[in-house]
Amino acid sequence: MVDPFDSPGWDAPPRSSSSHDPTATKYPLMRTLTHYGLLNRFYDQAVCEVSLPCFDLSRCAEKGPTSVYAHGGFRSVASSLVDYAVKEIPNDISRVSDPADACLHVVAEGSYNKFDELARSDTWKGGQNHYIWWNFTLFPGEGELLKRPFDPFNYGMAAIATWTLADAHSREGFDTPIALYQKWERDHKFGELGIHRPRRLLLSFKGNIEPWEQVYWQHRWIASEYWEESDEVFVDVKCKINVRTKKNVPENHVQYRFPTDRVAYGELLLNSTFVFAPGGGSVSSYRFTEALSAGAIPVVTSEYLPPFYPEVNWSSCLVRVSEARVVDLPRLLRKISPSEIKRRQASCASLFLSVVGEERKGNDYWGEDNGKTQFVTAMKIWSMRIKMAKERESTIIDFNAHHVFQK
C-alpha cells in the first residue's frame, strides 16, 4: 500500500520536529510525543479520523453489527475480549474468522511477538482499520520497549487505546484513552459501604515520587511541598528507589511499596471524599480507578483525558485542576457544596461500574475485570463511530449529487 502520509518509514529514527511540507499533496502529520516525555523523541504520526486514508468505510456493512477480526488466534487475548464483547453487545459487533471480511481489526496482548511482525502482516496496510488495545505486554518479544507506548513504535494509521494518551497527542474521535487498571483490591463489593457515607478526609494523596523533571511527577512534588496538612487533608509521599542504581534516594526516605501497605492505603481511599490522581510515569496513574473503586471523586490535572473521551462524558464526576492551581487545591475543594459532592459521587459510581467495571477475585477481594468492561465500552463506541461516519459519508454524497451541481 502506498503511504498516503509521506512518513519516514518504520526504520527511520524519530525526528525532533515535523518536516511536513504544507504545500505538498500528502496528508498532514502531527507530532506525537513519547510516553515519558523527557526522552525528547517525536514521531510524525498520521492525523486520522474514521475515514480514508486511515479508515476504509467500504469494508463495513451498511446495516447490522460491525464485523471484527481478532488477531492472534482463538486463544489470544484479543480473541477472548472480542468473544466477551460479542456476548455482551451482539447488536453492535460480530466476529469474523476471515480478516478480509473485517471492518475493524483488533490487536491486543500477545497477538504478535514483536511489532515488526504486525507491520509485515498482510492485513496491516499502514495500520488502516486497525485498533491496537494497548496492554502491559502488548509485544512480549520487545522486552522493556513494550512498556512505552509510542516509543519506539510508530503505529501509523492505526487507532490506539492506552492510558498514556494526553490531550497533546491524542487524535480525538479516533484514539481512545482508557483507564489504567487499579492495583488496590477491596474486601467487599463496590457500594456495599455506601458511597455517600461520612468520610473523615476532604482530600488525600499517597504514593511514590521520582527525582525527575517530568511534569507528571512534579504535580506530586507540588502537593507534598505546598499542601498544608490538617484534619481533613492528608498527603504522604516517599522517594521511589531506583532498583538498578540505588541512587537518588535520601537515607531518611523509605520507598512506599503498595503490597506491604494495602490496608492503610485502602482505608485512606475509603475515608477520602476527593483523591488527587496525578500522573506518574505517564499522564495517568492507578489512583484514578482506585479512587472510583473506593467511591471517592478523582481530581485530575488539565491535560488528563478520562477513559473514552470524548464519547463518554466525565464532567459530572471528576474534578479538574490546572497545573497552576494544584498548590491551591484544598481551598478550591472546600468551596464545593455537600449536594454537589453527592451528585458527583453518584455520577462517579455509575461511570465506574458501566465503563471501567470490576469482578470478584476468588473469595476474598473485588478488583478490576482485566479490561473486559472497558473493551465492551470501546466496541460500543467504535460501532457508533462507524455508523455515524457512514451516515455522514452518505449525506455528503447526497448533498453533492442533489445540491452542489444543481443549477
Side-chain angles (χ1 to χ4, degrees):
M1 180 179 180
V2 177
D3 182 1
F5 289 96
D6 196 23
S7 63
W10 302 114
D11 299 325
R15 298 186 241 178
S16 59
S17 64
S18 176
S19 58
H20 177 66
D21 179 359
T23 65
T25 57
K26 296 284 187 176
Y27 291 90
L29 302 161
M30 67 181 288
R31 296 178 78 200
T32 299
L33 180 63
T34 59
H35 165 206
Y36 278 83
L38 286 182
L39 298 178
N40 294 321
R41 295 181 181 176
F42 296 85
Y43 280 111
D44 282 331
Q45 193 81 6
V47 177
C48 288
E49 57 185 6
V50 188
S51 64
L52 288 172
C54 298
F55 207 94
D56 184 358
L57 288 168
S58 68
R59 294 162 62 175
C60 308
E62 292 294 334
K63 297 181 180 179
T66 299
S67 56
V68 178
Y69 178 77
H71 285 246
F74 282 89
R75 292 186 179 181
S76 66
V77 171
S79 178
S80 299
L81 289 171
V82 170
D83 282 346
Y84 181 82
V86 168
K87 291 178 183 178
E88 293 294 311
I89 50 171
N91 294 327
D92 293 305
I93 69 166
S94 62
R95 179 171 180 173
V96 294
S97 57
D98 187 345
D101 297 331
C103 167
L104 184 67
H105 290 255
V106 173
V107 177
E109 175 185 358
S111 292
Y112 296 89
N113 190 49
K114 291 190 175 184
F115 178 69
D116 284 347
E117 295 176 10
L118 169 61
R120 292 195 305 266
S121 68
D122 293 335
T123 66
W124 181 242
K125 298 180 180 179
Q128 189 182 74
N129 288 55
H130 279 63
Y131 184 48
I132 299 180
W133 186 258
W134 185 270
N135 198 290
F136 284 103
T137 52
L138 181 57
F139 301 115
E142 298 289 0
E144 285 296 311
L145 295 179
L146 59 87
K147 296 182 179 180
R148 300 179 180 180
F150 300 111
D151 175 26
F153 312 120
N154 184 341
Y155 294 113
M157 295 182 288
I160 310 296
T162 177
W163 57 85
T164 66
L165 287 171
D167 60 353
H169 59 262
S170 175
R171 296 167 293 182
E172 186 174 315
F174 193 70
D175 296 324
T176 47
I178 58 176
L180 184 57
Y181 306 152
Q182 67 195 65
K183 285 187 175 181
W184 174 63
E185 297 174 335
R186 285 173 280 102
D187 59 0
H188 58 275
K189 189 176 182 179
F190 177 78
E192 197 171 273
L193 301 180
I195 61 172
H196 299 308
R197 69 186 184 282
R199 297 176 187 243
R200 181 173 61 85
L201 295 169
L202 171 72
L203 172 66
S204 71
F205 173 74
K206 185 171 186 174
N208 288 325
I209 54 176
E210 289 270 15
W212 299 356
E213 295 179 359
Q214 186 185 355
V215 63
Y216 307 130
W217 292 109
Q218 293 301 304
H219 297 152
R220 301 182 180 208
W221 280 100
I222 291 171
S224 65
E225 289 292 328
Y226 292 99
W227 288 2
E228 183 176 347
E229 285 199 73
S230 64
D231 291 340
E232 60 178 2
V233 177
F234 180 90
V235 57
D236 179 22
V237 296
K238 299 290 191 293
C239 284
K240 189 174 182 179
I241 295 173
N242 187 321
V243 295
R244 291 185 293 274
T245 65
K246 304 295 183 183
K247 294 180 179 179
N248 299 323
V249 183
E251 292 182 1
N252 60 338
H253 283 74
V254 181
Q255 185 184 23
Y256 164 59
R257 291 186 178 276
F258 169 79
T260 63
D261 203 11
R262 181 169 65 183
V263 175
Y265 181 64
E267 289 177 353
L268 181 65
L269 290 173
L270 291 168
N271 282 285
S272 299
T273 303
F274 297 93
V275 171
F276 188 42
S282 70
V283 69
S284 63
S285 74
Y286 301 105
R287 279 156 203 80
F288 181 80
T289 45
E290 289 170 345
L292 293 172
S293 179
I297 301 169
V299 180
V300 298
T301 50
S302 56
E303 67 273 19
Y304 176 73
L305 294 181
F308 305 107
Y309 173 86
E311 282 87 356
V312 175
N313 185 2
W314 288 84
S315 62
S316 60
C317 162
L318 56 80
V319 171
R320 286 190 180 276
V321 61
S322 69
E323 184 176 273
R325 301 303 296 273
V326 170
V327 64
D328 205 24
L329 184 56
R331 186 179 68 83
L332 297 175
L333 295 178
R334 290 188 183 102
K335 294 183 177 181
I336 300 178
S337 67
S339 59
E340 177 65 15
I341 287 174
K342 284 188 176 182
R343 284 194 293 270
R344 289 186 179 274
Q345 286 174 329
S347 177
C348 286
S350 176
L351 286 164
F352 172 68
L353 292 175
S354 61
V355 176
V356 179
E358 70 167 6
E359 67 181 8
R360 194 178 189 95
K361 302 288 190 179
N363 296 320
D364 298 322
Y365 296 103
W366 289 79
E368 58 88 11
D369 64 357
N370 296 318
K372 291 185 294 187
T373 299
Q374 289 201 77
F375 186 78
V376 169
T377 303
M379 291 297 99
K380 287 180 181 178
I381 289 173
W382 268 105
S383 177
M384 177 183 68
R385 285 177 177 177
I386 291 165
K387 286 181 173 62
M388 291 176 65
K390 289 188 75 67
E391 289 174 2
R392 179 177 181 272
E393 185 181 63
S394 177
T395 300
I396 291 174
I397 292 173
D398 181 71
F399 176 77
N400 278 274
H402 295 89
H403 299 280
V404 174
F405 300 110
Q406 297 295 320
K407 293 183 179 180

